Amino acid sequence: MESGNKIVLFIPCYNCQDQISRVLNSLKENDNYKKFHEILVIDNRSTDSTVDRSIATVQSLGLPNVGIYTNSQNVGLGGTHKVAFRHAQLTNATHIAVLHGDDQGNINDLIDIVDSGQINDYDCCLGSRFSRASRLKGYAKFRIFGNYIFNFIYSVCSFHVVKDLGAGLNIYKVSAIADSRIIKFSNDLTFNCFLLLFSISQKQKIKYFPVEWREDDQISNVKLFSQATRTLKIAVNYLFRGVNGLLALGNNTIDFDDVTLQEKFTWNKKHD
């Protein structure tokens, strides 16, 4: 683990039973798991065997700092981020990293940014699929084009260069995501759009880093037309109303008395 830092790695999961084992195996490679104080796998009420396969893989690999949890109710990808962010705050972590459980991103890109020490120089380091040195594998040209269009729109509306709206491979200083207004942002797949524009509005220091991104056997949860419409609306609201525009669109505050993490497996408790 990086000296002086207490980094939580957060792995959100939803119906990725065929990919989660690969993600967890990548943590074992080169002892990548040692970079993190805690690895938090949070399943958002999957309807497949994601949780069972996660537990079996952690047991077979002997990963010593992994906890596997499910949300007490389905709160979407954004809501799952909020749950993880709160956990990082309550455990006094310095940073929280995000690696999606569907195995599209490459953990080594995140390890590189941690090892470089840049996580201490920036409030958030965000993986960008569209940086010059990024490597896209199996990513449809239509989706690439659409992402470039939205990156341009968000850059214009925020008066800030935007290189990706959310690749699912990021790391934040916990102090940068502790603002209580973040809990009001949307619980759905657009949460990262809200969070990005909020970071820009607060003049946080943002670092984009190139990533490898691939699509092979993943199942997308994105409904393209409705997602595009909502993504555009978020940018326009921000352009004319700033943070107030984000808060008006979000309105998805989570009551943490109702939404809790249900423990399914923790290595230390089961094997110490």
Side-chain angles (χ1 to χ4, degrees):
M1 183 172 59
E2 186 75 11
S3 177
N5 290 326
K6 182 178 178 180
I7 308 173
V8 171
L9 176 63
F10 156 51
I11 304 177
C13 300
Y14 182 73
N15 287 351
C16 50
Q17 64 178 16
D18 295 329
Q19 298 84 30
I20 188 60
S21 293
R22 300 200 301 260
V23 173
L24 293 170
N25 269 282
S26 73
L27 295 173
K28 184 71 170 182
E29 294 171 4
N30 303 315
D31 290 339
N32 286 330
Y33 69 94
K34 292 183 179 180
K35 300 291 181 179
F36 307 103
H37 174 78
E38 178 183 10
I39 298 169
L40 192 67
V41 179
I42 304 181
D43 179 78
N44 189 42
R45 312 301 298 183
S46 289
T47 58
D48 64 4
S49 300
T50 296
V51 172
D52 291 339
R53 293 197 183 182
S54 298
I55 293 172
T57 303
V58 169
Q59 289 176 321
S60 67
L61 294 174
L63 292 172
N65 57 340
V66 177
I68 300 171
Y69 302 84
T70 59
N71 290 325
S72 58
Q73 56 184 279
N74 188 313
V75 290
L77 179 63
T80 306
H81 274 72
K82 294 175 188 179
V83 171
F85 286 178
R86 182 172 185 265
H87 176 87
Q89 294 173 55
L90 292 176
T91 56
N92 297 313
T94 59
H95 298 78
I96 181 164
V98 184
L99 172 68
H100 283 199
D102 60 4
D103 194 37
Q104 288 187 285
N106 187 328
I107 184 63
N108 293 308
D109 296 322
L110 190 61
I111 297 297
D112 287 345
I113 204 74
V114 169
D115 286 345
S116 73
Q118 293 180 80
I119 62 171
N120 296 315
D121 299 327
Y122 294 90
D123 294 298
C124 46
C125 296
L126 309 178
S128 169
R129 293 162 291 181
F130 311 104
S131 293
R132 185 165 297 179
S134 293
R135 297 90 64 205
L136 299 180
K137 300 180 179 180
Y139 206 48
K141 291 183 179 179
F142 174 77
R143 296 188 67 181
I144 294 173
F145 175 75
N147 275 279
Y148 274 114
I149 294 297
F150 274 104
N151 288 346
F152 175 76
I153 291 171
Y154 270 64
S155 296
V156 170
C157 290
S158 66
F159 302 98
H160 188 280
V161 175
V162 171
K163 295 184 179 180
D164 202 312
L165 299 186
L169 192 67
N170 306 314
I171 185 164
Y172 306 88
K173 285 184 178 177
V174 171
S175 59
I177 50 88
D179 194 296
S180 60
R181 288 172 289 182
I182 291 174
I183 201 174
K184 298 180 181 179
F185 296 155
S186 178
N187 290 335
D188 63 17
L189 296 173
T190 62
F191 176 78
N192 278 334
C193 298
F194 284 87
L195 188 59
L196 173 61
L197 291 175
F198 183 76
S199 295
I200 292 171
S201 75
Q202 302 305 295
K203 302 188 184 306
Q204 293 181 0
K205 294 181 67 178
I206 300 171
K207 164 74 176 180
Y208 287 100
F209 62 95
V211 298
E212 176 185 299
W213 198 258
R214 60 188 177 277
E215 285 196 355
D216 36 48
D217 60 350
Q218 291 82 6
I219 300 174
S220 176
N221 294 308
V222 176
K223 297 179 180 179
L224 288 179
F225 180 76
S226 60
Q227 181 85 353
T229 301
R230 181 159 172 75
T231 301
L232 179 59
K233 188 175 181 180
I234 294 166
V236 172
N237 262 41
Y238 179 79
L239 174 63
F240 290 106
R241 300 181 60 192
V243 174
N244 288 333
L246 299 180
L247 295 174
L249 277 178
N251 195 27
N252 285 141
T253 299
I254 283 182
D255 183 348
F256 288 112
D257 289 330
D258 293 331
V259 180
T260 58
L261 284 177
Q262 299 177 338
E263 180 184 309
K264 297 299 181 181
F265 179 90
T266 52
W267 179 272
N268 290 333
K269 290 183 180 179
K270 299 295 187 297
H271 294 82
D272 280 355

